[in-house]
Amino acid sequence: LGGVPPGARRERGRRAPGGGGGGGVGGAATLATVETRSVAHPDGTGLAVDVYGRAGARAAVLWVHGFGSRRDGEKVRHVGEALAGAGLALVAPDLQGHGDSEGAFADLTIERSVGDVLLAAGAPEFAGAKRRVLAGSSFGAVVALWATVRRPDVADRVFCAAPAFRFVERHTEAMTPAVLKAWRAGAPLPVKNEWLDVTLSNAILLEAPRYRAEDLAARLGKPAFLVHGIGDEQVPWRESVRFLEACGRDDVELLLL
């Protein structure tokens, strides 16, 4: 995938936390190793997956990147190296159409992305851990939450950084009626900003009624911890507040920064 050979190992330039005598947390700093693998859906579509740490760890995290991002961003590398240095594990896939994974970016949907997460969750470093956490940022956080709805046994809890609730609805509300009508009819939607210049098919629009934030709040069955910055100009923090209130559960928490 993208020229990355399955099973290839590469060394990162950072050292895992720890400083003085022994290994892991509080021990001697060790260079974290990440293994890049290729895994495939039944239809043959391949995903690139980075794995930090080893199988048999007492806890593992599966990190889901955001819209237009990829598995090896700075924060994912930092978390993966820190966890591996502490004897834990992290699994980070590229969603289809992103990074080194196959598939068309234009056909992105929550449903397809949930399938990607569940495929990556089969990595022994994650599936075999005693405690498993699904984590994600922005669009990826919403995907992680829905993954636990589809398959409750995939993880014990969820961590969400700036979850992009009402992702599609917020964008359609800002569109002109003509643009929305054309997109709904099948015209590709251009998405262009300082990071992206892509198009989206109407697949994510057509599935939106089945993936509403209020339905997610009602169906969520796992503990979740949400973190959102009140200075976030891309993803409104008030949507996280509304989601928390809609959940009405003591084991769903929100930290505003």
Side-chain angles (χ1 to χ4, degrees):
L1 294 177
V4 180
R9 286 188 177 271
R10 61 180 183 272
E11 299 293 333
R12 299 297 194 192
R14 296 181 181 175
R15 292 186 176 273
V25 173
T30 56
L31 192 64
T33 300
V34 56
E35 178 184 354
T36 299
R37 300 174 185 166
S38 176
V39 296
H41 283 286
D43 67 359
T45 302
L47 301 183
V49 181
D50 279 355
V51 178
Y52 299 78
R54 296 183 175 86
R58 67 182 185 277
V61 173
L62 192 155
W63 188 282
V64 191
H65 64 73
F67 177 83
S69 187
R70 53 182 296 144
R71 73 190 188 282
D72 51 3
E74 183 177 358
K75 59 177 171 283
V76 181
R77 294 199 308 270
H78 177 78
V79 173
E81 290 164 2
L83 290 178
L88 308 179
L90 181 138
V91 174
D94 274 336
L95 299 176
Q96 289 184 56
H98 292 72
D100 296 313
S101 287
E102 298 174 342
F105 183 94
D107 295 330
L108 176 74
T109 62
I110 291 176
E111 183 171 0
R112 186 182 78 171
S113 300
V114 167
D116 293 342
V117 169
L118 297 181
L119 176 63
E125 291 81 0
F126 185 77
K130 294 179 180 178
R131 298 184 66 185
R132 300 179 306 281
V133 177
L134 283 186
S137 60
S138 192
F139 176 80
V142 175
V143 170
L145 290 166
W146 276 110
T148 67
V149 171
R150 183 185 296 184
R151 214 186 87 191
D153 65 339
V154 71
D156 303 301
R157 59 187 60 243
V158 188
F159 172 80
C160 301
F165 298 118
R166 300 185 68 250
F167 176 79
V168 173
E169 294 90 336
R170 286 188 291 105
H171 286 81
T172 57
E173 288 164 4
M175 292 178 187
T176 65
V179 170
L180 178 56
K181 181 179 179 180
W183 189 28
R184 189 177 298 278
L189 178 72
V191 180
K192 187 173 183 178
N193 56 34
E194 59 184 303
W195 303 286
L196 291 173
D197 187 1
V198 296
T199 61
L200 280 175
S201 76
N202 65 359
I204 196 169
L205 174 65
L206 298 180
E207 76 162 7
R210 295 186 287 110
Y211 287 96
R212 300 186 308 161
E214 51 266 44
D215 294 334
L216 176 58
R219 297 175 64 185
L220 183 64
K222 293 293 181 180
F225 189 79
L226 285 59
V227 177
H228 214 134
I230 58 175
D232 192 332
E233 297 180 353
Q234 301 296 325
V235 182
W237 60 270
R238 287 182 176 83
E239 295 292 350
S240 287
V241 174
R242 293 187 185 100
F243 181 80
L244 176 71
E245 293 172 345
C247 283
R249 295 171 47 139
D250 292 337
D251 60 357
V252 178
E253 303 175 79
L254 169 63
L255 174 63
L256 295 175
L257 301 174

